[in-house]
Amino acid sequence: MNHAIRVHEYGGPEALVWEEVPVPAPKAGEALVRHKAIGLNYIDVYFRTGLYKAPSLPATIGMEGAGVVEAVGEGVTNVAPGDRVAYATAPIGAYSEARTIKADRLVKIPAGVTDEQAGAMMLQGMTACFLLTRTYKVQAGQTILVHAAAGGVGLIMVQWAKHLGATVIGSVSTEEKAKLAKAHGADHVVIGTDALPARVKEITGGAMLPVVFDSVGRDTFLTSLDCLMPFGMMVSYGNASGPVSVPDIGVLAAKGSLYLTRPTLATYTAKREDLEYCANALFDVVAKGAVKINVNQRFALRNAGDAHRELEARRTTGSTILLP
């Protein structure tokens, strides 16, 4: 038996349909993975609504999962049946009890990491890795801003940045989330964004910030630019409030010759060596206890629509998983 959540027409959470699908057979270079835990990520919402287009409809969405290899296709040598594995990569298809995926996109889960942790942390954790160590190499002594600091990526980034020796300012939407971000190491937490540039100026003694990590998108973009020092970098890596439109790039010049980048995990893990770098770095900080993975919400896979409603209403904190 195999069931999956599929989207037949783009729309709201009600567009997520639980239905029976065939168990796929792995082709050459592929592995069949039976999921134990599936990560919930905001990119799943984009594929459900059509902001990001699926190759075709109906489509099984989802980018991240952990499970056990059941079979491998011809030529696969890096994994074998019985291996515990995880992934966070295209193509979509994780919202299923079992799926096939290219074996070179899989990493083995080390001892000491549970299936639930692996299912929850790969996409968010590897995103935190490339943002902090490659997109902008955060250095000890720097002060940075992390938006949505109590979210899945945000909580990991706060902890990881503290591990690197940075001072972290986190922006959140509620008092409850502020307490959570503080509990995970944020040095300063700001609720809302209206007064954020003024608070950043106060915290930094007027120096402002070398980098802002912004997953919110449209609602925070210009405010984020106002928090940067000259030559600072704006890292816009999400669209939770809607896509960012920048009709005049002259705004970057006016605000101090700023840099703007829109990075993706797919690009930063496209090469096998880059995937292994991010996965191993993530496993390392988790094993050291520098980063704790908080699975704060669990939903049955068949109830993925409820999970999406909670995520979009900003009622989730840390990581959320779907259980087949």
Side-chain angles (χ1 to χ4, degrees):
M1 293 290 291
N2 188 27
H3 293 82
I5 291 286
R6 299 213 292 174
V7 174
H8 291 259
E9 294 183 359
Y10 297 122
E14 68 281 354
L16 301 176
V17 181
W18 174 256
E19 54 192 25
E20 187 172 352
V21 295
V23 177
K27 300 175 183 176
E30 292 183 343
L32 173 64
V33 177
R34 177 72 57 175
H35 286 132
K36 298 295 184 181
I38 298 154
L40 176 74
N41 298 284
Y42 221 97
I43 193 173
D44 303 343
V45 173
Y46 304 155
F47 276 108
R48 188 204 74 217
T49 61
L51 177 63
Y52 293 175
K53 301 299 182 184
S56 62
L57 295 178
T60 300
I61 65 171
M63 299 284 289
E64 173 183 42
V68 177
V69 175
E70 287 197 337
V72 297
E74 182 182 355
V76 173
T77 59
N78 65 304
V79 295
D83 285 345
R84 296 171 62 235
V85 295
Y87 65 88
T89 185
I92 55 176
Y95 281 28
S96 58
E97 292 175 325
R99 71 170 297 187
T100 53
I101 189 168
K102 289 184 177 180
D104 68 359
R105 295 289 88 193
L106 297 172
V107 294
K108 293 181 182 180
I109 303 171
V113 175
T114 69
D115 294 334
E116 287 197 358
Q117 286 177 315
M121 76 180 188
M122 298 306 297
L123 191 148
Q124 296 169 350
M126 291 197 298
T127 295
C129 173
F130 82 74
L131 290 174
L132 294 170
T133 69
R134 296 191 61 197
T135 301
Y136 185 92
K137 294 184 179 181
V138 173
Q139 305 294 317
Q142 291 183 320
T143 300
I144 69 170
L145 170 62
V146 176
H147 281 289
V153 176
L155 280 181
I156 295 173
M157 288 189 70
V158 168
Q159 296 174 81
W160 204 323
K162 290 300 296 180
H163 177 61
L164 294 172
T167 296
V168 180
I169 304 171
S171 80
V172 297
S173 59
T174 67
E175 185 65 42
E176 178 186 7
K177 291 182 177 181
K179 292 177 181 177
L180 187 61
K182 286 285 284 186
H184 286 79
D187 298 280
H188 308 274
V189 181
V190 180
I191 301 173
T193 57
D194 290 344
L196 190 54
R199 283 288 291 126
V200 167
K201 186 174 183 179
E202 177 185 354
I203 291 166
T204 62
M208 309 309 280
L209 305 172
V211 64
V212 172
F213 297 99
D214 191 338
S215 62
V216 178
R218 181 173 56 207
D219 290 353
T220 54
F221 183 77
L222 292 177
T223 299
S224 293
L225 296 185
D226 288 337
C227 294
L228 289 166
M229 62 175 59
F231 311 113
M233 178 175 286
M234 170 63 175
V235 182
S236 177
Y237 70 97
N239 312 301
S241 66
V244 174
S245 176
V246 187
D248 180 8
I249 63 171
V251 67
L252 301 176
K255 293 181 181 293
S257 298
L258 304 179
Y259 293 90
L260 168 64
T261 184
R262 180 60 172 87
T264 69
L265 178 63
T267 306
Y268 277 89
T269 59
K271 296 178 181 178
R272 177 70 192 183
E273 56 264 37
D274 293 332
L275 172 62
E276 291 178 347
Y277 163 76
C278 274
N280 290 335
L282 174 60
F283 291 142
D284 181 61
V285 292
V286 171
K288 289 177 178 176
V291 171
K292 294 178 173 60
I293 304 302
N294 298 275
V295 182
N296 292 341
Q297 297 82 210
R298 295 170 176 81
F299 295 84
L301 176 58
R302 65 170 64 238
N303 297 327
D306 293 336
H308 277 227
R309 290 183 184 93
E310 292 299 294
L311 180 64
E312 291 182 276
R314 305 184 76 175
R315 290 192 290 264
T316 63
T317 58
S319 299
T320 303
I321 56 172
L322 307 174
L323 299 172

